[in-house]
Structure formats: structure tokens, C-alpha cells
Amino acid sequence: MKVAKFGGSSVANATQIRKVGDIIKTDSTRKCIIVSAPGKRNSDDYKITDILIRLGNAFKNNVSYEEELNIVIDRFSEIIEELELPPSILMDIEESIQGVLTNNNYSTTMKLDALKATGEDSLAKILSAYLSSIGLESNYVNPKEAGIIVTNDPGNAQILDESFQNIYKLREKDGILVIPGFFGYTTNGGLITFSRGGSDITGSIVAAGVKADLYENFTDVNSVYTVNPKFVDNPKEITTLTYKEMRELSYAGFSVFHDEALIPAINEQIPVCIKNTNNPNLPGTHIIAEKKKDEKCVVGIASDTGFSSLYVSKYLMNQEVGFGRKLLQIIEDEDVSFEHAPSGIDDLSVIIRESKLTSEKENNIVQRIKNELNPGTVTIQKNLAMIMVVGEGLMNTVGIAEKATAAFSQADVNIVMINQGSSEVSLMFGVEKEDLARALQSLYSAFFD
Amino acid sequence: MKVAKFGGSSVANATQIRKVGDIIKTDSTRKCIIVSAPGKRNSDDYKITDILIRLGNAFKNNVSYEEELNIVIDRFSEIIEELELPPSILMDIEESIQGVLTNNNYSTTMKLDALKATGEDSLAKILSAYLSSIGLESNYVNPKEAGIIVTNDPGNAQILDESFQNIYKLREKDGILVIPGFFGYTTNGGLITFSRGGSDITGSIVAAGVKADLYENFTDVNSVYTVNPKFVDNPKEITTLTYKEMRELSYAGFSVFHDEALIPAINEQIPVCIKNTNNPNLPGTHIIAEKKKDEKCVVGIASDTGFSSLYVSKYLMNQEVGFGRKLLQIIEDEDVSFEHAPSGIDDLSVIIRESKLTSEKENNIVQRIKNELNPGTVTIQKNLAMIMVVGEGLMNTVGIAEKATAAFSQADVNIVMINQGSSEVSLMFGVEKEDLARALQSLYSAFFD
């Protein structure tokens, strides 16, 4: 049995939904279908979820939300009409949205969550009707009915363990089950959404719950690429990678999907496949628990910008029990998480995402370090990019570090930081942002050309 | 004005002391002379300080110490006789040692410190007399007279700042000043020793205090070598290195001298020169504050064994504010200092010196990590060696990492860890202990052949 999730671009309009219908029709083991809200039809388009958020904010602020409501209804109306589905479905959708807006039992945050969820919910109703119209036995299944029970954290719901045995019972239901992604219900019955991109979370939860043989994640790219196509033309595709490799790649620049969403599927060791709704016959990228021995050691090169390095030096630092811990405590006190902390003998660099630092926090951190740790030097280097060479078994392969560092040197790129712990999965380099493209191109040539 | 310190092997017997006399005679700017206690005359010999420690322990435990006392007195007696100095000097030395043993105002720890100090003190008296006998104007100067004021930490005295202005006044004294190394006095007048190897500390303190033009550290090697001669035959000598480079090299396997001893000299930016008493005309190794631009980027390769790596992995670790800090806190609670903490996305390795871990501490740490941090994996990898490629400006030179990693790969050595922060001084690699020699030989060839 397979669980298939279709992302926003896969259900953006009637043409796309027809492709989804064809995909479901060709494989009768595609039992559970999870859908996103309609995404962009072209690069200038809007996503329905964004419009619903605007609608919710307008409602909250007591200003007119008619324009937003019309955009949402028009989009669904157009899809329903083009798919030649009965107008009663549109009426049902309109009633649901109005029902949320006029329900006085909701708190404001709950109302926002419930409004956001109408995007996925409406699309699930449409897709289920469409599948029936093309001769498939299909049922819309609300997450409450599916048993998706979550914590009461609006916009950031966490799944509760009891959900999985509820979901397992979906196996007994007849026909194809179309489930809206992105939300669940508290034990009190309140609707709560996952974090943004949460349809991936629902897909992964349902795949884990029904113990699927495969979780297919349909999107608009043929596969995961070995390097960000923004930097290298037509990079090679990754056919297979492990959960760990996916996680490391996701850290930096591989935004194919919401990587944390995979946790439930990983816990149940469900294989995952990333496929393209527009090219469903291509193999896509498989994400599995364990790698075969003979497979290529380096699977991909990830990168991300927006890092700062806080550098602290102090003579005899390494003999001072607690120095590193105190430094991290100061950073933590400002509610800043650190990414890495490579060190020399008498110095320590702490790599931080710039998005987590404000200039106030930065000043507080530097000032406290000066006052409390009596350092020789404290400086902050900005505009760093991180590059990760990713592959399981990398650490046990002699020569990978050489190949990587040679690529930097051929591109005349100075390495600001190198970090490789006992992890077998990645080798990390820090470079100045302006050197990033050159470094990636050279690394790509070295490992994949 | 120069300050010259002569180590234990340089004053081990009359022959060596004559060489010291010649060295002092050839350069009239050698004003302050610091001496160690007599060291080994050959590899099977004993060091006087070790015998004095045995003597002290025997005295403390109320058992016979006659044998030890005789060894000490015999050695000084032999030196005095061979140097044809008046017997009154030996009587003075004997009286001093007996005075310490019979003084009832000393606590046991203070008595041990005072006994240990008699090695340096006696030798200083002998050298001063010898210098006078060869026609140099020379005075023995006790550290109390020199104004070396220290904290009351027996065996681990720390210099007090007020000492430096006292010491500056030594410039006004006539003739050569011979000062015993290794000890100072508290403000109450109690004799307290520095940590072992403390004559280097006295030398550095006096050099800083008198604002010497050069601090010469005479030992029994021609210079500092680019790599440990235990692993590479006849390695090249280092002619110049910076304080920072010396410190990084000292961290791992470069035990030419007590590197922390340099702090007072570094603070005053006094240049340091390591020279060989047996080959005083060789240039030796100069240690200076700043490097000239055109000098070789990599100056040496240091290494040390006896490291363990504590590896902790946890899915989504890097989003958990405080994870790294909590881990370091657990280690600190066991009074264990950490050396480095390289990390991946969801894992962190903490490098610890094995000498600081007992199996009890190890168990406590692992158990607390399991109980408190809920990790995916916790493992400890033992028998690691660290290799440091050291050189200022290393980080700004493209290709150093490549050269180093290529050397590992040519030696078929797997790199367990790489660590390079924003420090400009060193690039650190972890390897398995059994791979150390091969890795060092290959690195040496790459950088120095």
C-alpha cells in the first residue's frame, strides 16, 4: 500500500489535478492521498494559503476581507468548473469558510488556523469528487475522522503518539482515501495546523500510521539534485539517498521538501520517493534507511548563506574548564542557537545563523563575553556561506577531504572553516559568501563530472 | 640586555657549567642568568630535583632520608671540587638544606617546596662563584632579593604583578646576576615553587621584569624541529616562529620547553631564543611576536596521542537551543575539560584527553547524556591521535588544506576529524593512533621536503 502526497503546484489548477487523477489511476496500490492547498500556477501567481492568511489577518484586524475571500472562492470555482464537477461542492466549500468566519466559539488564533486549513480541506473535497467522476472509488476523509490527534500549539502542532493506531485503521476503509494535509485536531476537537509546509508532515504521519510500503511525495521537480541548480547548470540527479543524507542536505539549500516532516516516516522506516507530477514515469529520488555498500560515497553538495562566525581567543583557553560551556551559555541566554563550534588551542569560533542575531543580541553577547570571560579577542565575521559535502560512509573513505579541498584550491577559494566530527555523513566548509558559486562549481566538477 | 636561562642538562656537571661560563663570557650583555637544578648527565642518570622530592617525601613519612641527602650533597660536592671552588660553598649549601629540614616554622607543604628549591638555589651559588673565579663580576641574587612575589599555592605559584617593578630594579645592580629559577616568595616571605619546569617561568618573568632585549633559553637541542624527530629522521629545524605558533606546537608533542612559562615574556613582547649550550654558535630558534610577510606559511607539524572522542547524535539536534551547552555542562560537572567539539547537523563530537577520563567519569557522562539529553546515539572512540599543522597566515593561504589532506590520502590514512576555526594558526586532524607515524611522515614530506 502506498501513501501519495501532492504538493501545491500539483493541485494548482484543473490541468494539474487531472494529472494527479491519472497518476492515482495507474497504480491501484495508491490508497491514501494527501493534498496541499492550490499553489502557484506560474511564477507571478499566488498560493491559496497565503491569501487565506491575508484573509485571516484582515478579519482579525476588523478590516474588509472581501477581496481575499473572492480570490479563494474564484480559484476553487474555476477548478470545479473546469473539472466538470457538480456546483454543490463549491457551495459546501463556501459554507465551510463562512462557517469558520462566523463561528464564535473559536479564539482568534484558532480561527486563523481553521481558516488556513480550508485551503487543503477544500482541495481534498474537490479531488475526491474528481476521482469519483473518473470512475475510482474515492472518499474524502477529514483528519478528525482519520484520527490525527495533535498538541494544542496553533501553527506548530505536534503529532500525538495515539494517532498512529487510529490511522492504521484507515487500511480497513474501502476505496481511495483523500485526506487534506496541514492540520489535525486536539483531543478536545479543536483544529490546529502544523508548521508551514505541513502537508508533508501529514503525508509522513499517514505513511507511518498505515505502515505504507512507500511514501510518494509528488512535487514539481524530477528529483533531488546533487547540487543547487542555481549555481550549476543541469546538475545530475540523485537516484537514492538515505534519511541521514537527506537531512544533512536539507540543512543547507535543499528545500525540495520539509525535511523535519520525514521524522514519522523515518521512525517507521518507510521508504520515501520524491517524484514529479508532471513527469510521473521518471524514477525520482528514493530516500531509504540504509545504503547499499557499493553506492557512490558522496551523494550531494548542499550550501547555504547567512552565517556569522563569532571568534573568541584567549591564551590558555583550553586549560580553563568550562570556558566553552560558559560561552555557549551566554549565547543561549540571548535565545540564539549555535550551529557549530570549531576550535583551535586557544580559540573557539561559534557559527551562528545571521537570522537568529539582532544587532542588540550581538552587542549583548560580545559585551558579556568581554566582561565575564576576559578574552584576548572577540570578533564577528559576517557573510559566511556553509558548504556541506554529504554522503554516508564519507568518513571511512580515504581521499574525500583531499578531493574537496583540492576543488576549493582550484577555484582559488580560501576555506574559512572546516568541520568534520565523528559523523559519517558530512564534511563542512565555511567560505566567504562571494566565493560560494565558484566553490560549488568546482566541487561539483570534482565529485560528479 | 639579555636574560639567559640554563636548563638542567646545561648545569648537570662541571663540564657543562664551564660551557655556561664560556657562553656568558662571550657576550657582556648577558646580565641576568637563571639556572635550573642539575639534570641528568646521561640517560640513566637522575635529576637532582627528583632526588629532593624523594628526600622530602621520606622526611614527611618519617623514614630515613640519608641516602637521598648524600646523593644531593655528593653531586654538588663533585661539581664544586671539579670547578676548583672553595669548600665554603659546599658548607653553605649543606647548611641551607639542613636549615630547611630542621626549621619548625614551616608547614609540611612549605617544607617540601623549600627542599625542592635547594637544587636551583645551590646551583646558582655555585655558578656565581665559578663566574667570579673566571674573572667575571658576578652576584648570587636570591628571588626574594630580586622581588619575585608569588601567590601562596605550593608547587603552583602564580606571579604577582608587583614583582615586575621590583625586578626592573635589577638593571641597576652591578655585574652578572645569577638567580635560581623555580621559586619565589609570598608577601609573608614564605618560599613557594612554581609548577615543574618552573625555571623557564622564572626566566620569562625576569626577562619581562628587566624588559630584556632577548630572553635566551639554553637547553640541549639545537632548535625546535618542524616535526617530532621520533617519527621523522633528521627533520628540518625551525629558525623563527611566533608566540602563537609556539603555543600551538607545544600543545601537541613539542616539549622543548614549558610553553606556558612564556606568558610573562609574551606580554612584554620580549623575543625568545632557544639555543643549545653544547652548540652555542648555532642560530637556534627565535620566537617572536610577529611574522614577516614573506616567511613560510607552515612552520611545523605537532602531534599527540591519548585522545578520546565522545560522539552524540540526535535527530534535529541543531534546532534544540542549549543542547551543546548542556552536553558540555555534563562533562564539566565531572571536572573534565574538553579540547574540541566538531559537529555535523545532528551530531556533536567532543574530543577529550584520555588522561582526564576515568572509567567512572566516562560512565557517569554517558549515563547522564542518555538520561538527560535523550540522544539517538552516544559512543566513545578511544586511541585517537591529534595532528596539528601550524603556521600563522595558514588560513589565508589557498591550498594548505589540500596539501595536508593529500598527504593523508597518500599515506592511506583515514581522517577521523578535521577542525579549523577562524584561528589563523592551525589546522587540526584526528586520526587513529596506529596511523599517526605514517600520517606525520607523509605530511612532513608534503610541507618540508
Side-chain angles (χ1 to χ4, degrees), chain B residues 235-294:
Chain B
K236 290 192 178 147
E237 296 169 353
I238 302 178
T239 52
T240 310
L241 76 170
T242 64
Y243 298 140
K244 268 194 186 171
E245 290 169 342
M246 180 71 204
R247 166 79 183 130
E248 303 266 331
L249 288 170
S250 296
Y251 171 69
F254 275 69
S255 57
V256 172
F257 73 24
H258 202 179
D259 70 296
E260 292 167 37
L262 271 191
I263 301 174
I266 290 174
N267 289 343
E268 285 296 324
Q269 306 238 327
I270 311 293
V272 181
C273 183
I274 313 273
K275 297 198 76 160
N276 189 347
T277 299
N278 308 308
N279 271 320
N281 295 326
L282 290 181
T285 297
H286 277 77
I287 310 173
I288 54 175
E290 277 180 33
K291 203 159 177 169
K292 289 181 208 128
K293 284 272 173 233
D294 56 344

Side-chain angles (χ1 to χ4, degrees), chain A residues 54-85:
Chain A
R54 272 166 50 192
L55 194 166
N57 288 331
F59 181 86
K60 191 176 84 178
N61 298 325
N62 232 344
V63 298
S64 165
Y65 52 80
E66 212 167 321
E67 188 192 333
E68 287 81 8
L69 186 58
N70 286 340
I71 294 175
V72 173
I73 301 298
D74 285 354
R75 176 83 83 94
F76 287 124
S77 166
E78 190 184 302
I79 292 173
I80 289 165
E81 215 166 281
E82 283 189 33
L83 292 175
E84 297 170 7
L85 299 175

Side-chain angles (χ1 to χ4, degrees), chain A residues 252-297:
Chain A
F254 277 69
S255 57
V256 171
F257 75 23
H258 201 181
D259 71 295
E260 291 169 35
L262 270 191
I263 301 174
I266 289 174
N267 288 342
E268 286 295 323
Q269 306 238 326
I270 312 292
V272 180
C273 183
I274 313 272
K275 297 198 76 161
N276 189 348
T277 300
N278 308 309
N279 271 320
N281 296 325
L282 290 180
T285 296
H286 277 76
I287 309 173
I288 54 175
E290 277 180 32
K291 202 160 178 172
K292 289 182 210 129
K293 285 271 173 235
D294 55 344
E295 265 167 305
K296 216 171 170 190
C297 161

